[in-house]
Amino acid sequence: MSNSSSITQFLLLAFTDTRELQLLHFWLFLGIYLAALLGNGLIITTIACDQHLHTPMYFFLLNLALLDLGSISITVPKSMANSLWDTRVISYAGCAAQVFFLAFLFGAEYSLLTIMSYDRYIAICKPLHYGTLLGSRACVHMAAAAWATGFLNALLHTANTFSLPLCKGNALEQFFCEIPQILKLSCSDAYLREAGLLVVSICLSFGCFVFIVLSYVQILRAVLRIPSEQGRHKAFATCLPHLAVVSLFLSTAVFAYLKPPSISSPSLDLVVSVLYALVPPAVNPLIYSMRNQELKESIRKVISWAFVNTHHLSITVHK
């Protein structure tokens, strides 16, 4: 029997043993990863460069894009490398790093989405107090609180998980390291301590979910009282992207972790894990830029500016 002190590496779940399909997986993940890098990178650059977008809503959106970039960068490159080199191995330290950063980034993202629902609530239900309640200092403090919450959550869970004795091998039923899969390798009752921590985290997450729902109930009531159709349309346009992002984030994560065992299977688990780990970071920039005319115009300006400067630079080089 082995324990955690003798384990130096873990074996991740392979998508397939067929070489052609492994390469297909590599190229598919590369495409999704590049789309996420491009989309989130454009949003970060646009918001940072455009003074008109230096408002609370876009400040929180910039933080969301940073978290999305981080979360997809933790899992996808390693999975791509494993498929390319036909291996399943991840080091013990690498696995611990994946667990820590995923817990950190997902925890911070959920906290940030909760704060963003508060931002939309104040903007629509209490517009006269918006500047007072969401000043620059308050926004920085709230964003810092979201990041700090994610960090504390990750520190507790990672330290607790990797202090458990592991005696059921080192093969994980997932293409990246996550806490539930590592707990399956433990044969000690000490895993109940981490299970208790997970229950506490779920309760806190449910509290955030209730806050988001109540915020949107109040927002809907306020929007329906707006007399002009144009005003209602504008209010909905600022809220729908956030609501779509929250729904995507929660639905994929909840289904991944709370689906009934009766419908669980290795192939379904793999598909669901891809959905919640890859799809939100890649799709979120598209959701936010589709209905937001102001953001679309700013992104267009940034792309035009980059194209013009690249063109001028190439002319200078050729001279």
Side-chain angles (χ1 to χ4, degrees), residues 206-318:
F206 183 72
C208 290
F209 173 72
V210 170
F211 181 87
I212 292 169
V213 169
L214 291 177
S215 296
Y216 272 96
V217 168
Q218 294 298 319
I219 287 169
L220 184 61
R221 290 173 61 187
V223 169
L224 292 175
R225 286 199 298 265
I226 296 174
S228 70
E229 187 178 340
Q230 187 179 0
R232 286 196 298 271
H233 177 77
K234 187 176 179 181
F236 274 126
T238 62
C239 292
L240 284 177
H242 176 256
L243 197 56
V245 167
V246 171
S247 302
L248 182 64
F249 181 82
L250 289 179
S251 60
T252 53
V254 166
F255 189 70
Y257 289 107
L258 301 179
K259 64 182 180 297
S262 57
I263 66 167
S264 185
S265 69
S267 56
L268 178 64
D269 292 347
L270 200 58
V271 169
V272 170
S273 62
V274 168
L275 282 177
Y276 89 85
L278 272 70
V279 173
V283 173
N284 285 353
L286 191 62
I287 292 173
Y288 267 104
S289 58
M290 264 175 55
R291 293 182 64 90
N292 191 319
Q293 198 60 39
E294 189 178 24
L295 185 59
K296 277 199 289 191
E297 286 297 324
S298 295
I299 289 174
R300 199 174 290 120
K301 286 178 187 175
V302 167
I303 293 172
S304 300
W305 177 84
F307 178 77
V308 168
N309 277 275
T310 305
H311 183 64
H312 284 166
L313 183 62
S314 66
I315 291 173
T316 306
V317 169
H318 281 104

Side-chain angles (χ1 to χ4, degrees), residues 6 27 34 51 61 67 81 83 88 100 105 115 126 135 139 144 156 158 162 235 241 252 266 284 310:
S6 64
W27 289 110
L34 290 177
Q51 292 287 332
L61 180 55
L67 290 168
S83 287
R88 296 171 55 195
F100 174 81
L105 295 165
I115 290 168
K126 299 181 184 295
C139 289
L156 286 172
T158 307
F162 284 90
T252 53
N284 285 353
T310 305

Side-chain angles (χ1 to χ4, degrees), residues 2 10-11 17 21 23 25 42 50 59 106 120 132 166 171 182 186 196 228 230 240 244 251 274 279 287 315:
S2 64
F10 291 93
L11 298 177
D17 293 326
L21 292 177
L23 293 175
H25 157 245
L42 266 176
D50 194 334
F59 171 72
F106 281 148
R120 292 299 83 208
T132 308
L166 307 177
I182 295 170
S186 174
S228 70
Q230 187 179 0
L240 284 177
S251 60
V274 168
V279 173
I287 292 173
I315 291 173

Side-chain angles (χ1 to χ4, degrees), residues 115-134:
I115 290 168
M116 290 171 80
S117 70
Y118 174 71
D119 166 66
R120 292 299 83 208
Y121 165 74
I122 297 297
I124 290 171
C125 299
K126 299 181 184 295
L128 297 178
H129 301 284
Y130 190 74
T132 308
L133 295 172
L134 286 166

Side-chain angles (χ1 to χ4, degrees), residues 97-119:
Q98 274 197 346
V99 167
F100 174 81
F101 283 109
L102 281 176
F104 170 35
L105 295 165
F106 281 148
E109 181 158 343
Y110 191 39
S111 299
L112 188 69
L113 289 172
T114 307
I115 290 168
M116 290 171 80
S117 70
Y118 174 71
D119 166 66

